[in-house]
Amino acid sequence: MWNRDLTEALAAILNPEAAEALRDLGKIADDRGINAFVVGGVVRDALMKRPCEDLDIVVEDDALDFAAAAARELKGRVKKHRRFGTAILVLGRGVKVDIATSRSESYARPGALPDVAPDPIDLDLRRRDFTLNAMAARINADGFGELLDPAGGREDLETGVLRVLHERSFEDDPTRVLRCVRFAARFSFEVDPLTEKLLQDAVDRNLVSTVSGERIMNEIRLILSEDEVWAPLERLDSLGALASIHPEWHLPEKAPNLFSELMTIMKDPVGSIRSATLWHTNFLAAVSAIDISDAGALLDRLRSGATLRSLVNELARFETRTRERLESEGALSRSSIYDALVALSPETLAVILASGGQIATQRIALYLSELESVRPILNGSDLIVLGLQEGSDLGRVLTDLRRARLDGFVTSKEDELEFVRRTIRNLDVKNKR
Ligand code: CTP
């Protein structure tokens, strides 16, 4: 028989502050005479010995009252979501605890948010997505760490199987289609055959289309933040789930190669790519084969903000205006490479580096490792001292000076001074004409 006491398993994956918070919250539950549990991903991760940061707590009581009492006692801050009856408790030293009332859920129609009713922990666990996420451990002092596993999650973890708890699971909440693919890929688990059939049925019935754009986008973001994004994306594509988000959404032909290159690039990023947001970069790659107007419609469907939109537009502009020049075999000066790439975001640079032919890749690599950080020694104030006035001439001279430095026409401060004086003389002549 397995050990049903998770005390040690929890201590092993939580940082000391989070482990202490669990004990403290258990004592507060004791004082109020209620049952309290840590649930979901934390319990799963404890059994899998995977580190975990955020705590999900369920109490058989009013979560908002419990959170307020805990905040008072542990000197934390509490953020209440009255609509859902849940609270986030933020304690010192970075511990964040989601607190919910133990509840059952019913769904008026697929894709709708659930109607909830308080119920004992057993029913709370049975409303959840997959057996491996439907476990809890008691945190009251009496029986701390005791495992509750009404759906056989532990056995599924041992055998590496992802399984829904009941046949209506994907219908109740079609975001579980995306979650299913994400967890299966993250843990390299088999999807149990009945779950697989229900998954495909859910996609074929187009249930994902009933979910709000914000909720789909949230799941997409989570998938694109995983260590391995190709496997879940490919699975969503072959299921037909990408197409049920937007009919024209399909992955690029060379996607396996593109994502494997991108993963290598993002693991050890060079130059300005270091500041790229990983999931934005992956999103750009995932939509890079779609026509720009379809990509716009997809972003509308996902209720995307301005940042992703501008990245998608930027990549499309690069493909139509610049890609060919960067791939061409003809000579391209260092300043021309710089000019072609300087306005691009880190995310776009990462994607074009991952998708470039040999010549373009070499040029982008040169830009990132060297060209983008080239600066003239003289700055704007120096140019004003030399006689230029603030305004467009000054900006242009600085740009020309940088180009001259990139192409090796100036290499020292004296060269730069000479370059600027000569440019001013030429400007004066031009202005007098
Ligand atoms: N849950 C669910 N159905 C959903 C979303 C969540 O049943 N559509 C339940 C699961 O029990 C899950 C828990 O709520 O374990 C917490 O959800 P979330 O934080 O999204 O997932 P985690 O399991 O913690 O996964 P991750 O490791 O990705 O954070």
Side-chain angles (χ1 to χ4, degrees):
M1 201 49 202
W2 291 307
N3 180 6
R4 301 192 70 85
D5 180 359
L6 298 195
T7 309
E8 275 178 31
L10 283 167
I13 63 148
L14 294 174
N15 62 43
E17 291 81 16
E20 194 186 325
L22 271 194
R23 294 272 182 191
D24 290 343
L25 292 166
K27 281 186 202 124
I28 293 168
D30 287 342
D31 293 343
R32 300 170 71 83
I34 60 160
N35 292 318
F37 307 88
V38 58
V39 294
V42 188
V43 179
R44 176 199 69 215
D45 291 341
L47 287 165
M48 296 181 90
K49 301 185 170 52
R50 291 170 67 102
C52 179
E53 282 175 10
D54 296 336
L55 296 174
D56 279 314
I57 300 293
V58 163
V59 289
E60 289 180 339
D61 191 16
D62 186 288
L64 301 184
D65 287 352
F66 180 82
R72 275 196 304 277
E73 207 139 317
L74 304 177
K75 303 196 178 16
R77 276 183 303 115
V78 73
K79 211 164 86 189
K80 296 181 180 177
H81 296 291
R82 290 193 188 280
R83 159 84 178 79
F84 298 106
T86 58
I88 299 175
L89 174 65
V90 183
L91 301 173
R93 292 165 297 172
V95 180
K96 198 175 124 265
V97 190
D98 282 351
I99 301 178
T101 301
S102 176
R103 66 188 193 264
S104 58
E105 290 177 348
S106 55
Y107 295 81
R109 57 185 158 75
L113 290 172
D115 299 316
V116 300
D119 253 319
I121 184 71
D122 191 64
L123 288 182
D124 182 287
L125 294 175
R126 286 179 192 278
R127 73 174 167 82
R128 290 174 183 261
D129 52 2
F130 305 105
T131 60
L132 54 75
N133 286 337
M135 293 181 276
R138 192 174 162 79
I139 60 167
N140 296 81
D142 177 18
F144 185 94
E146 184 190 318
L147 176 69
L148 278 80
D149 178 16
R154 184 162 191 170
E155 189 168 347
D156 283 343
L157 269 189
E158 301 276 330
T159 47
V161 173
L162 193 66
R163 187 195 312 271
V164 287
L165 275 78
H166 56 83
E167 299 209 353
R168 290 176 54 93
S169 186
F170 292 117
E171 203 169 300
D172 281 350
D173 179 358
T175 62
R176 290 175 179 168
V177 167
L178 299 149
R179 292 174 65 84
C180 182
V181 168
R182 174 160 64 94
F183 288 121
R186 185 197 293 173
F187 303 131
S188 301
F189 276 15
E190 290 292 323
V191 178
D192 130 85
L194 174 60
T195 302
E196 182 76 49
K197 181 183 167 305
L198 297 168
L199 175 71
Q200 186 67 63
D201 282 355
V203 175
D204 293 346
R205 288 168 61 203
N206 217 6
L207 294 183
V208 178
S209 70
T210 62
V211 180
S212 73
E214 289 85 352
R215 294 186 70 215
I216 300 182
M217 186 56 136
N218 187 45
E219 292 299 331
I220 297 287
R221 176 180 59 79
L222 292 172
I223 288 172
L224 298 178
S225 307
E226 294 279 329
D227 288 341
E228 231 286 46
V229 300
W230 163 241
L233 277 179
E234 199 252 355
R235 188 80 188 89
L236 288 176
D237 202 14
S238 61
L239 276 168
L242 292 187
S244 72
I245 297 171
H246 186 277
E248 296 305 322
W249 193 1
H250 54 87
L251 297 175
E253 221 173 281
K254 292 186 185 147
N257 200 24
L258 172 63
F259 280 100
S260 117
E261 288 287 330
L262 206 51
M263 214 167 88
T264 313
I265 290 167
M266 295 307 284
K267 260 200 186 119
D268 191 12
V270 182
S272 57
I273 289 184
R274 287 192 198 100
S275 59
T277 302
L278 178 65
W279 84 268
H280 282 170
T281 309
N282 286 330
F283 187 92
L284 257 193
V287 302
S288 58
I290 316 179
D291 192 81
I292 185 67
S293 61
D294 291 323
L298 169 64
L299 290 165
D300 290 343
R301 166 71 180 107
L302 297 175
R303 298 260 179 275
S304 162
T307 312
L308 267 186
R309 278 174 204 279
S310 89
L311 290 178
V312 168
N313 286 328
E314 182 183 87
L315 180 61
R317 263 196 319 272
F318 173 85
E319 294 297 350
T320 52
R321 293 187 196 162
T322 319
R323 161 85 70 189
E324 204 178 322
R325 189 151 45 96
L326 215 60
E327 301 275 13
S328 73
E329 284 180 19
L332 209 55
S333 66
R334 286 157 56 97
S335 61
S336 304
I337 298 174
Y338 179 93
D339 288 344
L341 300 174
V342 66
L344 298 182
S345 64
E347 290 80 4
T348 301
L349 284 169
V351 173
I352 65 172
L353 181 61
S355 60
Q358 205 188 351
I359 298 175
T361 302
Q362 275 170 8
R363 286 172 172 159
I364 300 166
L366 172 69
Y367 172 79
L368 290 166
S369 62
E370 199 183 322
L371 307 187
E372 69 173 351
S373 52
V374 168
R375 307 256 179 286
I377 297 169
L378 301 180
N379 59 27
S381 322
D382 297 326
L383 266 56
I384 290 171
V385 172
L386 287 168
L388 273 166
Q389 277 167 11
E390 263 179 82
S392 59
D393 276 350
L394 188 131
R396 217 169 307 132
V397 175
L398 272 176
T399 305
D400 288 346
L401 188 55
R402 188 197 302 253
R403 284 207 187 96
R405 190 161 257 286
L406 281 162
D407 292 333
F409 297 131
V410 299
T411 55
S412 64
K413 188 169 180 183
E414 286 64 40
D415 288 350
E416 288 193 7
L417 286 167
E418 175 52 29
F419 179 94
V420 174
R421 287 193 189 108
R422 195 167 359 109
T423 308
I424 293 174
R425 279 199 301 276
N426 290 343
L427 277 173
D428 286 344
V429 172
K430 213 165 79 188
N431 289 342
K432 275 183 197 141
R433 272 197 206 133

